[in-house]
Amino acid sequence: MVRLTADLIAKSRDHFKRKRGRSFPEYLKTLTHLHFFSKNIEDIGDLSMCRNLTVLYLYDNHITHICNLGFASNLTHLYMQNNNITHIDNLSNLQRLSKLYLGGNRIAVVEGLETLCELKELHLENQRLAPGEKLLLDPMTLLSLAKSVCVLNINNNNIDDIRDLTVLMELRHFSAADNRLHNMEELEDVFSCWPRLLNMDLGGNPVCKNTKYRDRLITVARNLEVLDGREINELTRQFLIKWKASKEAKKKKNKHLMTGPLIPDPFTNDFIVGQGPGHNIYSQASRQGWRPQQPSLRAQKLKISMSGLLHHAPVSSSPICSHVDA
């Protein structure tokens, strides 16, 4: 087993040649960066003498547990992507940690970050999960990171729901490509809560096939500059915002018209919905194929009287016109 210890550091030419005449313990105290990536390391040993360590590169190894880093209170960058880590443990003392890279591991639940109040970037892409499993983010952990995290990468983790991420109001860069996001309305609700979002990548999700996918997200995320790798033209954004506002205003007006005052219908004695001044109250009757009512009783009597007068009038036997001889 290859274990990262002070002895391993001592054997490293890259580090040892930087001693410059100092004793080895003194050298360890001055170390700020440790580069031990791709060294087949499986475990982290005692590094407590490296009290000023700020950046630790341990990616592309075989580490299964995060341990023995409690001494590193000055650590700001931790690179542990592409290992075999299954749980996020033992980071509570790293309260100055700003960037955490854990992509390409076997983490199923993101937790244990509640004390990292200065964490700005969290990279969790490409977890090697069991078939059908998806990456879960603990709500309490998300809430503790709500005011600090600016960059979140959760690419390719079978994620189908991001509503719990709504609390991350400081997000500026969000990557969730190659997941299973499909609900357009859900995305609009979440992104409307991220006023600082500048760059977003959702490529490879089913939702990208929705009609007007890009237009709808641009109108919701008002400060977004890049979507799925394509820059957003400001003129295009303003046009879409105005178009959406006009569409909503028209919909609101139509709804108001459909709920206007009730006006009596003179043909059916029922009430119809009015549309304000100048509304044609006969339009509904016309659409329903109105038929005229029977003539009034007075009109019927008048018709009978006229018929009688015509029947009893004398007829002249004389010709109406005489023949004129030529």
Side-chain angles (χ1 to χ4, degrees), residues 47-61:
L47 299 175
S48 57
M49 294 186 68
C50 305
R51 63 183 67 176
N52 288 310
L53 193 63
T54 59
V55 180
L56 179 57
Y57 295 95
L58 289 175
Y59 58 86
D60 295 340
N61 283 296

Side-chain angles (χ1 to χ4, degrees), residues 7-65:
D7 290 338
L8 187 63
I9 297 174
K11 296 176 183 178
S12 171
R13 294 180 179 180
D14 291 339
H15 287 282
F16 189 72
K17 67 183 181 181
R18 299 175 189 170
K19 275 183 59 175
R20 296 180 181 177
R22 290 170 291 190
S23 66
F24 187 64
E26 290 177 345
Y27 168 69
L28 291 179
K29 292 178 183 178
T30 63
L31 270 179
T32 58
H33 291 61
L34 273 180
H35 299 264
F36 279 91
F37 51 89
S38 301
K39 300 292 185 182
N40 294 318
I41 295 173
E42 299 177 42
D43 191 24
I44 303 173
D46 183 9
L47 299 175
S48 57
M49 294 186 68
C50 305
R51 63 183 67 176
N52 288 310
L53 193 63
T54 59
V55 180
L56 179 57
Y57 295 95
L58 289 175
Y59 58 86
D60 295 340
N61 283 296
H62 305 291
I63 299 170
T64 57
H65 294 91

Side-chain angles (χ1 to χ4, degrees), residues 108-114 135-145 164-165 167-168:
V109 181
V110 180
E111 55 188 351
L113 304 176
E114 291 80 6
L135 181 68
L136 301 175
L137 291 92
D138 175 57
M140 291 301 297
T141 293
L142 291 174
L143 189 60
S144 67
L145 301 175
D164 288 341
L165 302 182
V167 298
L168 303 177

